[in-house]
Amino acid sequence: MSLAHYILGIGDRYTSNTLVDLKSCTAVGIDFGHAFGTATQFLPVPELTPFRMTPLMAGLTVPKVSPSGGIVHATMLKTLEALQENQEALMNILQVFLREPVIDWVEFANRQVHAMRRAGNLDEHLDDTKLSWYPQQKLNCVKRNLNGGNPMLLMKSEELDLNSLVMKDSASLLRIIIGEKGSERWSMQNEISLNTDQQVTCLIDQATDPNILGRSWIGWSPFA
């Protein structure tokens, strides 16, 4: 579930947005109001985590979550490989968003255009009266997630440039996302494309980094 949420950019995963079947112990995600990266791009406190893997979730899944191994890593690796093998079918399903964009995307698209206009980075082909470019941009993000795009660099290039509500210094944001010097995540910062094992390692490391969790919105309950 967490890996699928990352691929589709589903955010706002606070504790009430994950249900647990008490008979099978299966986790079920609900409420997909923030998808395709909008939780990082437009929420007042941007989400820097790729999915929810807080201490409580990690403790329930496996005693110690390690980027180099463990049940979480192995499960996510198999899930990512399965999604990559079937990405054509997945992308075909998502084409519906090109023909019938969700209502919120009209607002998000306009906000992105206005933010880029203020920053002086507005591409000539972007028009706040036309929505066709916005869903295509979001589907391209999904495709890059599927094809091993470096999660850190994708978050920086696609989303954080537009969000100045928490930190106006993009260099500081990038340092937080990259992690501490010497960490496995830090060593991948200059690699544009990652293999599946590297990608999962990077995502788990990012999702469990106390420095990132500590900058989450309090209602997201990063301590739980």
Side-chain angles (χ1 to χ4, degrees):
M1 181 182 70
S2 294
L3 201 286
H5 285 174
Y6 165 71
I7 295 295
L8 297 175
I10 294 172
D12 198 27
R13 299 295 88 197
Y14 60 90
T15 51
S16 296
N17 277 347
T18 300
L19 303 185
V20 177
D21 186 325
L22 298 181
K23 292 183 178 180
S24 65
C25 293
T26 302
V28 180
I30 62 170
D31 188 354
F32 306 123
H34 281 283
F36 299 97
T38 59
T40 304
Q41 193 171 14
F42 293 119
L43 287 180
V45 180
E47 291 188 2
L48 306 181
T49 53
F51 44 73
R52 187 175 192 87
M53 186 53 65
T54 57
L56 182 58
M57 275 192 69
L60 286 171
T61 309
V62 62
K64 182 179 180 181
V65 177
S66 171
S68 60
I71 297 175
V72 173
H73 187 281
T75 303
M76 287 190 176
L77 186 60
K78 291 295 184 182
T79 303
L80 180 57
E81 291 172 348
L83 289 172
Q84 288 179 339
E85 291 173 2
N86 297 277
Q87 68 171 287
E88 184 177 355
L90 176 60
M91 295 307 298
N92 286 338
I93 293 172
L94 295 178
Q95 292 297 314
V96 68
F97 288 104
L98 292 178
R99 296 187 294 272
E100 299 180 20
V102 294
I103 296 176
D104 286 344
W105 283 14
V106 176
E107 178 187 354
F108 290 149
N110 289 335
R111 288 170 65 181
Q112 183 166 339
V113 167
H114 295 157
M116 295 176 75
R117 183 176 289 130
R118 288 195 302 270
N121 297 326
L122 182 63
D123 293 338
E124 293 182 0
H125 72 281
L126 298 185
D127 185 347
D128 51 1
T129 64
K130 298 178 181 179
L131 192 59
S132 59
W133 60 271
Y134 189 82
Q136 186 61 63
Q137 180 191 68
K138 294 306 177 188
L139 264 61
N140 289 342
C141 290
V142 172
K143 195 168 185 178
R144 285 193 286 270
N145 289 344
L146 281 170
N147 291 327
N150 190 320
M152 299 176 290
L153 299 183
L154 289 179
M155 182 175 285
K156 169 64 172 62
S157 63
E158 296 294 341
E159 294 159 357
L160 292 181
D161 281 342
L162 301 177
N163 198 315
S164 60
L165 295 177
V166 176
M167 287 188 182
K168 295 184 178 180
D169 184 358
S170 60
S172 296
L173 278 171
L174 188 57
R175 283 195 298 272
I176 294 168
I177 296 170
I178 289 174
E180 295 293 330
K181 185 175 181 180
S183 68
E184 291 187 73
R185 194 165 92 243
W186 184 86
S187 67
M188 300 177 191
Q189 62 176 302
N190 295 319
E191 299 184 41
I192 298 176
S193 182
L194 307 176
N195 61 41
T196 52
D197 186 72
Q198 289 176 318
Q199 193 175 4
V200 170
T201 295
C202 179
L203 289 170
I204 293 178
D205 191 23
Q206 191 172 338
T208 56
D209 186 344
N211 190 30
I212 291 179
L213 293 174
R215 299 174 190 276
S216 303
W217 173 58
I218 186 98
W220 196 82
S221 302
F223 43 81

